[in-house]
Amino acid sequence: MLLSISLILLIGMSLGWICKKLKLPSLLGMLITGIVLGPYVLNLLSPEILSISSELRKIALIIILTRAGLGLDLSGLKKIGRPALLMCFVPATFELIGMLIIGPAVMGLSLLEAAIMGAVLAAVSPAVVVPRMVKLMDEEYGTKKGIPQLILAGASVDDVYVIVLFSTFVGMMQGKGASVISFINIPVSIILGIAIGIGIGVILAFYFKKVHIRDTAKVLIILSISFLLVVAEDSLKLPITFSALIAIMFIGIGLKKKRNEVATRLSVKYGKLWVGAEIFLFVLVGATVNINYLANIGIKAIIVIICALAFRMLGVFVCLIKTEFNVKERLFAMMAYTPKATVQAAIGAIPLSLGFACGDTCLAIAVLAIVLTAPLGAFAIDISYRKLLQSDGKS
């Protein structure tokens, strides 16, 4: 395992640096590292580290979501109002509808198979989007109109919505039917996640005021609580649950509201943690990519992904109707809401493991979506935000 860790860090950092010098997003180099080192090419990563890959990716996601919450200014988000709520589910719904139209026509799928594939594809990747929106907030691009806040919050909730839909469609394929409770659980889990996160954040703010400990110890406390929330969500077998990832982000928001100076310092600490976490996240996502599938699906899969993304971008456009955003800002939001990675890596293989006829196709589409949209979406954000968004402070 130690050899695997050193290969992940050294090669991941090196290829990330090379990509950055070539004006490409560094995550592209990290994805390539994972693909090359992974089990489908050189197979240099130990089975032990691959067996805990999903946990390591989740830790990295926890770090960046907490960092986002510690730096998120809700005042900009409150000004937007309705579009902020719509961004949580409308773009994903549009993408799913697009797949229901395109899937049967292009891939010969049934409507239910197309719905499952649409749910696999529809989630935006917080791992790609969140760190870039945090960077925009740090550099104060588009913050007065709440553009990065809007995309950041929407990307965090979008996944909850899509995963519930995916579970429902899989249940229907297995003959269980659609559960009303599953759909009720979408808003309930989001609201409970927000309430739990803010509550913990406020309690921590009070505790940190009364008990003086080092900022490093505070980070360890918050990380430990975050891990417990994830375990609690996974362990609960109740029909109604809460979203741990949303709760984790709102811990930072609650702490920032009550103890802004502490939140600012901890945000810097989490920023340093993200340097290493980012490498593990994207290298291990790359390691899930089976390039053998890519050779078998051809141009049809690319057409399906492009058309689905067009529907998603249309959904973002609909969300932003009657807002103060100008044409450039709307275009940026539409592009920034396209990257796929973490959710597709997590659920893309489930239909195949369950023996569904569409399993191979779902996995291939998920893999191709990661390979195409994660680097291209990140690249689009990185090269366009200075041109399309207004600088509200330091550059």
Side-chain angles (χ1 to χ4, degrees):
M1 186 183 288
L2 292 178
L3 175 62
S4 296
I5 292 171
S6 53
L7 288 174
I8 287 170
L9 290 172
L10 290 173
I11 300 176
M13 283 191 292
S14 299
L15 289 186
W17 180 83
I18 290 170
C19 285
K20 205 168 185 179
K21 287 296 180 182
L22 295 173
K23 305 298 183 184
L24 296 170
S26 58
L27 74 85
L28 178 57
M30 297 170 197
L31 285 172
I32 292 171
T33 300
I35 293 170
V36 173
L37 296 179
Y40 305 106
V41 183
L42 297 181
N43 194 25
L44 294 177
L45 298 180
S46 69
E48 290 83 6
I49 202 161
L50 291 174
S51 68
I52 59 169
S53 172
S54 61
E55 285 81 5
L56 292 174
R57 296 200 308 267
K58 192 166 284 187
I59 289 170
L61 199 55
I62 285 169
I63 288 170
I64 193 57
L65 283 172
T66 309
R67 166 74 178 84
L70 291 167
L72 184 59
D73 180 11
L74 288 181
S75 60
L77 201 55
K78 289 176 182 176
K79 293 176 186 175
I80 303 170
R82 175 188 56 84
L85 176 63
L86 295 179
M87 285 284 280
C88 298
F89 65 91
V90 170
T93 302
F94 267 67
E95 190 167 3
L96 183 58
I97 291 170
M99 184 59 77
L100 290 174
I101 297 170
I102 301 158
V106 177
M107 307 291 289
L109 303 171
S110 69
L111 278 177
L112 188 51
E113 288 174 335
I116 290 173
M117 188 180 295
V120 169
L121 191 60
V124 71
S125 173
V128 179
V129 172
V130 171
R132 277 158 180 79
M133 295 307 108
V134 170
K135 179 183 177 184
L136 262 62
M137 291 190 296
D138 288 343
E139 297 184 10
E140 297 185 28
Y141 272 90
T143 49
K144 282 188 178 177
K145 290 188 178 180
I147 296 168
Q149 297 97 311
L150 170 73
I151 296 169
L152 191 155
S156 303
V157 177
D158 174 279
D159 287 1
V160 178
Y161 173 62
V162 169
I163 289 171
V164 171
L165 289 181
F166 174 76
S167 301
T168 301
F169 295 143
V170 166
M172 291 171 67
M173 181 69 89
Q174 293 175 317
K176 298 177 183 176
S179 169
V180 175
I181 293 294
S182 296
F183 289 100
I184 293 174
N185 191 44
I186 295 172
V188 172
S189 65
I190 293 167
I191 292 167
L192 282 177
I194 292 171
I196 291 169
I198 289 178
I200 293 172
V202 170
I203 291 170
L204 286 175
F206 178 78
Y207 176 76
F208 293 154
K209 185 178 180 179
K210 295 294 182 182
V211 180
H212 297 285
I213 55 177
R214 295 178 61 181
D215 287 342
T216 303
K218 293 171 184 172
V219 168
L220 292 175
I221 290 171
I222 296 172
L223 274 176
S224 300
I225 292 171
S226 300
F227 296 161
L228 288 173
L229 287 172
V230 171
V231 171
E233 182 190 20
D234 291 341
S235 302
L236 285 175
K237 302 301 180 185
L238 301 173
I240 297 295
T241 183
F242 70 99
S243 170
L245 293 180
I246 291 175
I248 288 163
M249 187 170 74
F250 274 83
I251 289 175
I253 292 172
L255 181 58
K256 181 179 176 65
K257 191 170 183 63
K258 294 297 183 181
R259 297 274 288 167
N260 183 56
E261 69 284 357
V262 174
T264 302
R265 295 200 309 270
L266 295 185
S267 179
V268 174
K269 293 278 187 182
Y270 269 93
K272 293 176 180 177
L273 278 177
W274 174 243
V275 173
E278 179 184 35
I279 299 167
F280 275 96
L281 175 59
F282 289 112
V283 171
L284 292 174
V285 166
T288 67
V289 173
N290 186 345
I291 60 171
N292 298 321
Y293 284 108
L294 302 184
N296 299 325
I297 52 177
I299 195 68
K300 286 185 178 180
I302 296 175
I303 292 171
V304 166
I305 291 170
I306 291 172
C307 291
L309 289 179
F311 272 88
R312 168 172 278 274
M313 293 173 79
L314 178 61
V316 175
F317 177 81
V318 169
C319 293
L320 301 180
I321 291 174
K322 294 185 178 179
T323 63
E324 296 180 355
F325 294 1
N326 59 38
V327 174
K328 289 182 177 180
E329 290 163 343
R330 294 182 191 208
L331 177 61
F332 175 82
M334 290 162 69
M335 289 192 304
Y337 224 52
T338 58
K340 319 283 184 181
T342 38
V343 174
Q344 287 70 29
I347 68 175
I350 291 176
L352 180 61
S353 67
L354 294 174
F356 294 168
C358 63
D360 278 325
T361 309
C362 282
L363 181 56
I365 291 283
V367 168
L368 192 59
I370 294 170
V371 172
L372 289 177
T373 66
L376 289 178
F379 182 64
I381 295 170
D382 291 345
I383 67 168
S384 68
Y385 76 93
R386 293 178 186 272
K387 299 173 184 176
L388 299 180
L389 301 182
Q390 182 180 344
S391 176
D392 300 320
K394 61 186 178 182
S395 59

